[in-house]
Amino acid sequence: MGKLTSPSKLFKGTFLVLILVSIAIFLAKSDFNALKKELSAVGYRFIVILLTTCAAYFLGTLAWWICLGSDKKKVNLIELFAIRQIGETVGLFNPTSIIGGDMLKAELITRYNISLKEGLNSVAISRITAVLSQLTLFLIAMLWLMFSPLKSEVIRYTGSTIYFICTLLLVLLLLMLYWLIAAKSPSQNTASTTSFLGKAQAYMQALLWNVKDFYQHQNKIFWCSYLLFALHWIVGSLEFYYILKFLGTPAQPIHGLILDMSVIVLKSMGAFIPGQLGVEEIANKLLLHMIGITGGTIWLSASLLRRSRQLFWAGLGFIFYLCIKKKAVHVPI
């Protein structure tokens, strides 16, 4: 038994070390004096930013919860909110990004008498609905931008790159929809294999089959999760809007959506960097300039306030983990 569990313990130990090192790097590179200064300037209004992100995270939790099917009765929304926050925090602070975070979500949910298989299926389904809604909103935001007075400013900063990115993401969106609706389901290979790659391939095929099966048999729930995630992104984008307002910069909610969706796309390119240090700051600066907000250090102030929000929720995620870790593990067969 020891031989079977030792590789698992080694993997978990390595993963934990990576997370702790990533968090240490993030904290070491954070300018806490600058964070304190920006928080003092915003004052009590920072609570509005936290409440906005809390509402967005709750919508994301609800979008995942309905993907659990009958198992959703075994875990309440508050508990699932905590699990999701832990996973998102781990996804932010480790080189494997959302893969590691999503795997941890599926493992933690087994403590509520939900099998690891069902947990992984629900996480995979909700991740697909999240990505689909995110791509849709990004393309809508870009479409609005290209027909707005800001078009010349966008072209000046991005040139033809903006068209290439939008085309690429549109193709990705259409391919995902085609895969769900029309593509043949992966063959379920029952042949046993001892190689790591063979097992990984068989596992991924089974997971993809389960996602397609969910879409085909629970279509309404799938699209309901999609809509909830769309609301999640829209509400979350209000953070950018409020930050700009609090910094005295004229802005509209659509600007928040454009900035948030665009920053997420750019950050995904540096997902392996702990907390996307530097990547997010550069993205904020470029995108704020792109929509005509070029005043002084607005980009830096906005970046610091968003980092403050990240630190708050990361700290809360750590507290959630300590609480859930005490709960007995129940893994159904």
Side-chain angles (χ1 to χ4, degrees):
M1 186 72 177
K3 290 182 179 180
L4 291 173
T5 56
S6 56
S8 175
K9 289 182 179 179
L10 179 62
F11 175 78
K12 289 180 180 179
T14 304
F15 189 63
L16 179 62
V17 169
L18 282 173
I19 294 171
L20 292 176
V21 170
S22 297
I23 292 174
I25 293 172
F26 180 83
L27 293 175
K29 296 295 183 179
S30 298
D31 189 340
F32 288 98
N33 288 328
L35 289 175
K36 184 178 178 182
K37 181 181 178 181
E38 293 300 334
L39 286 173
S40 298
V42 172
Y44 71 91
R45 292 175 297 179
F46 186 69
I47 297 174
V48 175
I49 296 172
L50 294 180
L51 289 175
T52 299
T53 52
C54 182
Y57 296 157
F58 181 79
L59 286 166
T61 302
L62 190 58
W64 176 25
W65 183 69
I66 64 174
C67 293
L68 284 165
S70 59
D71 282 332
K72 64 177 177 288
K73 298 176 183 178
K74 299 176 182 178
V75 57
N76 64 51
L77 283 170
I78 301 301
E79 292 167 328
L80 200 65
F81 180 94
I83 292 173
R84 183 179 182 276
Q85 202 52 47
I86 295 167
E88 293 299 310
T89 300
V90 169
L92 182 66
F93 295 110
N94 83 92
T96 63
S97 189
I98 60 173
I99 296 175
D102 283 356
M103 290 291 288
L104 181 59
K105 291 176 191 176
E107 183 179 344
L108 288 176
I109 207 171
T110 61
R111 297 171 185 269
Y112 296 88
N113 204 32
I114 297 173
S115 69
L116 182 61
K117 177 183 175 182
E118 292 304 318
L120 286 169
N121 286 341
S122 68
V123 168
I125 294 161
S126 63
R127 180 59 64 183
I128 287 175
T129 57
V131 172
L132 282 172
S133 60
Q134 182 185 355
L135 288 176
T136 304
L137 287 172
F138 175 82
L139 292 171
I140 290 173
M142 290 301 104
L143 189 63
W144 181 91
L145 193 60
M146 298 314 290
F147 282 94
S148 75
L150 294 170
K151 177 180 178 179
S152 58
E153 196 74 15
V154 174
I155 297 301
R156 187 164 71 90
Y157 278 94
T158 65
S160 59
T161 304
I162 187 69
Y163 294 109
F164 172 76
I165 292 174
C166 288
T167 302
L168 188 65
L169 293 179
L170 177 60
V171 170
L172 177 60
L173 177 62
L174 293 175
L175 285 175
M176 290 178 70
L177 289 172
Y178 172 80
W179 172 74
L180 283 169
I181 299 169
K184 292 182 179 180
S185 300
S187 60
Q188 300 190 72
N189 186 8
T190 56
S192 59
T193 177
T194 55
S195 70
F196 174 78
L197 289 177
K199 288 181 178 179
Q201 182 181 2
Y203 175 81
M204 286 304 298
Q205 282 188 342
L207 187 62
L208 290 172
W209 167 262
N210 290 330
V211 171
K212 282 181 64 64
D213 185 65
F214 183 92
Y215 177 81
Q216 291 167 3
H217 294 91
Q218 302 191 61
N219 192 276
K220 289 182 180 179
I221 294 177
F222 183 93
W223 290 114
C224 186
S225 177
Y226 169 90
L227 290 174
L228 285 169
F229 266 119
L231 288 173
H232 157 78
W233 298 120
I234 291 170
V235 173
S237 71
L238 291 175
E239 176 197 22
F240 247 127
Y241 167 70
Y242 284 123
I243 285 175
L244 293 176
K245 293 285 285 184
F246 297 158
L247 293 174
T249 302
Q252 301 174 24
I254 187 64
H255 293 145
L257 184 64
I258 292 168
L259 290 167
D260 198 39
M261 294 297 98
S262 302
V263 167
I264 290 172
V265 170
L266 291 177
K267 280 170 60 179
S268 64
M269 300 176 187
F272 59 92
I273 301 173
Q276 289 80 61
L277 277 167
V279 178
E280 182 168 348
E281 285 72 15
I282 292 172
N284 289 341
K285 184 174 184 178
L286 290 175
L287 292 165
L288 282 167
H289 277 68
M290 188 182 74
I291 64 171
I293 300 176
T294 58
T297 58
I298 291 292
W299 68 271
L300 180 58
S301 298
S303 299
L304 288 169
L305 288 171
R306 281 168 63 85
R307 287 295 182 197
S308 299
R309 181 263 298 165
Q310 286 178 348
L311 287 171
F312 173 84
W313 286 108
L316 206 56
F318 181 73
I319 295 171
F320 287 155
Y321 179 74
L322 293 179
C323 295
I324 292 177
K325 190 174 175 60
K326 295 177 182 177
K327 190 175 178 65
V329 181
H330 302 286
V331 184
I333 298 174

